[in-house]
């Protein structure tokens, strides 16, 4: 990619060298270019939750893009009141299965736990409001990471059912978890399910 202004504007400088190597192979260059030029509407329309992943390692540069995408999510006051825990130890993934109501697909190639961190939000509001902002921040970041994963040819499953106490023990934090995002190469690409008719979904008041 002769002009990497897209990369310069989207990714922090410490991530750039990993995402776009100085001397990429033609295959890497083509794949990275395709990802950066993805049509966001195609990504949203074709995304589908996946519970069966290949036992295949995800390339490091793809993980970096997923992290960078989460970093671009809008947050309250721009304070980014959330943290991401990247789970890589196999024994911790097994413990996460127990914490997540014995859902086996939590043991995926890439497992991210999104937690709210209201202490980062320096706004003059009641603590209850800051907590709400922080949960919203973490949720938006997870959503951006999920869309980026699909654009990279990966699939994901969003886990919202878990025992908060057990999950906090597994990742050794006092922060409140908002979701677990499990990502990997799908064993089979699924066709998106039909959604609600927009006339039923949208309420004009």
């Amino acid at each position: 990619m002769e002009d990497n202004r897209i990369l310069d504007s989207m990714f922090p400088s410490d991530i750039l060298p990993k995402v776009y190597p100085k001397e990429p192979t033609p295959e890497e260059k083509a794949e990275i270019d395709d990802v950066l030029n993805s049509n966001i509407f195609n990504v949203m329309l074709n995304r589908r939750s996946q519970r069966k992943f290949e036992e295949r390692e995800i390339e490091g540069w793809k993980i970096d893009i997923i992290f960078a995408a989460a970093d671009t999510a809008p947050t309250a006051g721009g304070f980014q009141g959330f943290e991401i825990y990247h789970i890589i130890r196999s024994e911790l993934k097994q413990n996460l299965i127990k914490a997540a109501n014995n859902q086996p697909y939590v043991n995926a190639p890439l497992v991210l736990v999104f937690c709210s961190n209201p202490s980062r939000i320096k706004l003059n509001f009641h603590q209850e409001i800051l907590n709400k902002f922080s949960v919203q921040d973490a949720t938006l970041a997870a959503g951006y990471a999920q869309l980026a994963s699909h654009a990279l040819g990966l699939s994901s499953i969003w886990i919202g059912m878990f025992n908060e106490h057990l999950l906090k023990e597994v990742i050794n934090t006092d922060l409140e978890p908002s979701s677990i995002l499990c990502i990997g190469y799908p064993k089979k690409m699924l066709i998106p399910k039909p959604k609600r008719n927009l006339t039923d979904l949208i309420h004009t008041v």
Side-chain angles (χ1 to χ4, degrees), residues 44-55:
M44 292 187 293
L45 288 170
N46 292 301
R47 189 208 61 78
R48 172 78 186 274
S49 294
Q50 173 67 255
R51 291 171 174 80
K52 296 182 179 180
F53 303 106
E54 294 181 359
E55 294 183 6

Side-chain angles (χ1 to χ4, degrees), residues 34 40 44 71 80 101 113 119 122 147 170 177 182 187 201:
D34 285 344
I40 185 64
M44 292 187 293
D71 190 49
Q80 296 186 297
N101 199 38
V113 179
S119 67
K122 309 304 180 183
L147 289 176
V170 172
C182 306
K187 286 189 174 181
L201 174 66

Side-chain angles (χ1 to χ4, degrees), residues 82-101:
F82 69 95
E83 309 293 337
I84 304 173
Y85 289 80
H86 178 196
I87 313 303
I88 58 175
R89 290 164 51 190
S90 58
E91 64 269 25
L92 292 184
K93 290 183 180 181
Q94 291 298 325
N95 291 336
L96 277 182
I97 292 176
K98 299 175 184 178
N101 199 38

Side-chain angles (χ1 to χ4, degrees), residues 84-102 106-107 111-115 161-177 179-180:
I84 304 173
Y85 289 80
H86 178 196
I87 313 303
I88 58 175
R89 290 164 51 190
S90 58
E91 64 269 25
L92 292 184
K93 290 183 180 181
Q94 291 298 325
N95 291 336
L96 277 182
I97 292 176
K98 299 175 184 178
N101 199 38
N102 293 316
V106 173
N107 186 9
V111 179
L112 306 176
V113 179
F114 291 78
C115 294
M161 180 183 289
F162 47 78
N163 182 306
E164 292 186 7
H165 178 71
L166 291 179
L167 180 51
K168 289 162 72 172
E169 283 189 347
V170 172
I171 62 177
N172 191 28
T173 184
D174 292 328
L175 300 177
E176 294 298 324
S179 64
I180 306 172

